[in-house]
Amino acid sequence: QVQLVESGGGLVQAGGSLRLSCAASGRTFSNYAMAWFRQAPGKEREFAALISRYGRSTDYADSVKGRFTISRDNAKNTVYLQMNSLKPEDTAVYYCAAGRASSSSYEYDYWGQGTQVTVSS
């Protein structure tokens, strides 16, 4: 089992920045690719970013490419999502997930409880 706990969400004005963190405990963190997904009210959960087990490769949804950066620190069992130039349409609950590197949520076995990000216009 892997337990994931997100933090760092909040309310920010459009154009601002936030940094989300996801702390993992349980099984060996580097065994898993990590990803961030998000779910806006009334919408399905969607992929935002992923990072491979040792951070050598990353991938982003087109909607966040160039604005969001995913990173991980395997020594601290933590994955991060730096979000810059935030837009109101980035408002969502953000979830971190551990599993196999994919943009599909079905490839992730473990999920955090989510952290709310609200971007005001």
Side-chain angles (χ1 to χ4, degrees):
Q1 290 283 351
V2 176
Q3 292 78 42
L4 302 172
V5 179
E6 301 98 334
S7 61
L11 174 64
V12 64
Q13 288 189 333
S17 298
L18 281 175
R19 188 195 196 202
L20 305 183
S21 299
C22 174
S25 61
R27 291 187 176 178
T28 305
F29 183 62
S30 59
N31 284 350
Y32 301 94
M34 299 296 297
W36 289 94
F37 287 78
R38 64 185 187 180
Q39 187 167 18
K43 295 187 177 181
E44 293 188 355
R45 190 172 298 187
E46 66 175 9
F47 167 76
L50 70 85
I51 188 166
S52 59
R53 293 167 56 194
Y54 295 98
R56 295 191 183 101
S57 63
T58 59
D59 193 20
Y60 298 91
D62 287 343
S63 58
V64 307
K65 200 170 293 183
R67 300 187 298 121
F68 290 11
T69 302
I70 189 171
S71 61
R72 66 189 295 163
D73 185 337
N74 285 353
K76 295 182 178 180
N77 290 352
T78 302
V79 62
Y80 306 96
L81 186 67
Q82 178 66 44
M83 306 186 295
N84 298 329
S85 302
L86 282 161
K87 304 175 181 180
E89 50 263 43
D90 294 318
T91 295
V93 177
Y94 283 71
Y95 299 90
C96 71
R100 290 169 289 280
S102 171
S103 60
S104 170
S105 62
Y106 294 105
E107 297 295 330
Y108 293 87
D109 301 312
Y110 304 102
W111 293 82
Q113 83 288 349
T115 186
Q116 176 71 47
V117 172
T118 303
V119 184
S120 63
S121 57

